[in-house]
């Protein structure tokens, strides 16, 4: 299995093409608006792969991103209730997300190979085989990125606090939903308040070295490398909150605060905008700082241009 993952630049294009074709078929067959958007994105991805044009593949990724609107809310529903509101719609949306990830990997490989560097790590080296990867030493984010993380966390605090109050005031209502949501309601805890607190912790943690190497206070894992996907997956999911917040800001500018009553909704607009944009910046910086390189036999490696 490890060897298969090491060979991802050789199979990611085929996998992306297969999923893109599936998304096109499902989008056309479904007939709903987001499905058609996903079909257009999948078609662009297929065209970019066929033409070996990375920018066309990225255009498909951007269009597909709009077709996954509401995914984070669906995941919260699955976590809280154990099921989504609509299984076919959820699985179709999940297929679009997988297609996006595969197309992003394919675009990266196309770009790197066009520059004559390794499609896997982006460095110039003699050995093109599936060799092990070497990871950089744990580092702290720059001061600018740290302040972005702090600002995003601060903007999300009012929403987290509002959801704590909401959970305490609506125990009976939350308990009627069942699942994890009902179990937390016994203690007056709203699931989204807990997730907001975890999001704030993750946002700040990704700027510190112990988000790359498990710290001493984690039993059994202290000193080991943290898998890159572990913080990056929730961080990029958190970044999808940004568009929600920006749409909410536009809504308030057009209709005013009277059109959106309630302290939770208003705090959510500010929090989603701030934390979503902060997650995008921090996740990109973390991805760049933790980028591995192939451990070649001769040790030669030159960064990609």
């Amino acid at each position: 299995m490890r060897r298969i993952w090491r060979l991802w630049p050789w199979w990611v294009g085929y996998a992306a093409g297969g999923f893109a074709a599936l998304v096109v078929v499902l989008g056309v067959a479904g007939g709903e608006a987001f499905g058609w958007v996903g079909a257009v994105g999948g078609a662009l991805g297929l065209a970019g792969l066929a033409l070996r044009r990375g920018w066309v593949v990225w255009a498909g990724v951007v269009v597909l991103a709009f077709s996954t609107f509401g995914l984070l809310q669906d995941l919260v529903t699955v976590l809280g209730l154990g099921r989504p509101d609509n299984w076919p719609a959820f699985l179709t949306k999940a297929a679009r997300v997988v297609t996006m990830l595969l197309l992003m990997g394919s675009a990266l490989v196309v770009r790197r190979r066009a520059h004559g560097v390794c499609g896997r790590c982006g460095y110039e080296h003699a050995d093109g085989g599936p060799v092990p990867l070497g990871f950089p030493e744990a580092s702290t984010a720059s001061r600018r990125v740290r302040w972005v993380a702090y600002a995003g966390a601060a903007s999300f605090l009012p929403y987290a606090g509002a959801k704590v109050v909401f959970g305490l005031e609506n125990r009976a209502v939350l308990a009627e939903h069942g699942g994890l949501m009902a179990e937390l309601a016994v203690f007056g805890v709203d699931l989204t308040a807990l997730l907001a607190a975890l999001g704030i912790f993750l946002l700040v943690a990704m700027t510190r070295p112990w988000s790359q190497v498990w710290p001493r206070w984690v039993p059994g894992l202290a000193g080991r490398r943290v898998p890159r996907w572990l913080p990056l997956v929730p961080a990029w999911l958190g970044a999808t909150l940004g568009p929600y917040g920006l749409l909410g800001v536009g809504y308030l500018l057009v209709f005013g605060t009277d059109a959106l009553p309630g302290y939770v909704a208003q705090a959510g607009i500010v929090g989603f905008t701030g934390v979503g944009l902060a997650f995008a910046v921090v996740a990109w910086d973390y991805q760049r700082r933790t980028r591995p390189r192939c451990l070649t036999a001769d040790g030669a490696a030159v960064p990609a241009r």
Side-chain angles (χ1 to χ4, degrees):
M1 182 62 69
R2 182 175 297 179
R3 181 177 176 84
I4 292 176
W5 283 113
R6 288 179 181 176
L7 289 169
W8 71 267
W10 285 267
W11 57 256
V12 68
Y14 298 104
F19 268 90
L22 175 64
V23 164
V24 171
V25 172
L26 292 176
V28 173
E32 50 100 16
F34 284 122
W36 279 105
V37 175
V40 172
L44 283 171
L46 283 172
L49 292 174
L51 298 172
R52 299 283 182 180
R53 293 292 184 269
W55 67 270
V56 180
V57 177
W58 279 112
V61 171
V62 172
V63 174
L64 277 168
F66 286 98
S67 71
T68 62
F69 204 72
L71 175 66
L72 193 58
Q73 282 69 16
D74 291 341
L75 292 174
V76 172
T77 302
V78 171
L79 181 61
L81 303 180
R83 64 186 186 281
D85 294 329
N86 186 314
W87 272 110
F90 174 71
L91 293 176
T92 301
K93 201 176 295 183
R96 295 177 197 145
V97 173
V98 173
T99 305
M100 283 178 54
L101 296 175
L102 292 172
L103 286 175
M104 289 168 68
S106 301
L108 197 60
V109 172
V110 168
R111 177 183 177 278
R112 286 174 175 175
R113 287 178 173 169
H115 284 84
V117 296
C118 175
R120 183 174 175 229
C121 70
Y123 289 86
E124 294 179 355
H125 54 74
D127 189 356
V131 296
L133 287 172
F135 292 83
E137 293 193 12
S139 61
T140 302
S142 66
R143 177 177 296 182
R144 182 177 301 178
V145 174
R146 294 201 305 272
W147 277 108
V148 168
Y150 300 151
S155 70
F156 210 37
L157 282 174
Y159 173 77
K163 294 299 286 188
V164 169
V165 175
F166 178 84
L168 292 172
E169 293 179 345
N170 296 272
R171 292 189 184 189
V173 176
L174 294 173
E176 294 176 356
H177 292 289
L180 179 61
M181 191 176 295
E183 295 179 11
L184 292 173
V186 174
F187 305 97
V189 177
D190 180 58
L191 176 61
T192 50
L194 180 60
L195 293 176
L198 292 174
I200 291 173
F201 172 79
L202 175 64
L203 185 61
V204 176
M206 290 181 70
T207 66
R208 314 304 302 179
W210 46 270
S211 65
Q212 300 163 53
V213 177
W214 293 107
R216 289 176 295 178
W217 44 266
V218 179
L221 295 174
R224 296 187 181 183
R225 183 179 61 84
V226 176
R228 290 179 82 213
W229 62 266
L230 192 59
L232 281 174
V233 170
W236 282 117
L237 285 174
T240 63
L241 291 173
Y244 284 97
L246 293 174
L247 286 174
V249 170
Y251 186 86
L252 287 179
L253 291 175
V254 175
F255 299 103
T257 56
D258 293 337
L260 197 65
Y263 59 90
V264 176
Q266 295 176 10
I269 288 178
V270 176
F272 289 175
T273 303
V275 81
L277 297 177
F279 261 127
V281 172
V282 171
W284 180 262
D285 176 75
Y286 183 93
Q287 197 165 305
R288 179 187 59 81
R289 285 187 294 116
T290 60
R291 175 182 162 193
R293 50 166 284 191
C294 294
L295 296 177
T296 58
D298 55 10
V302 180
R305 292 181 292 275

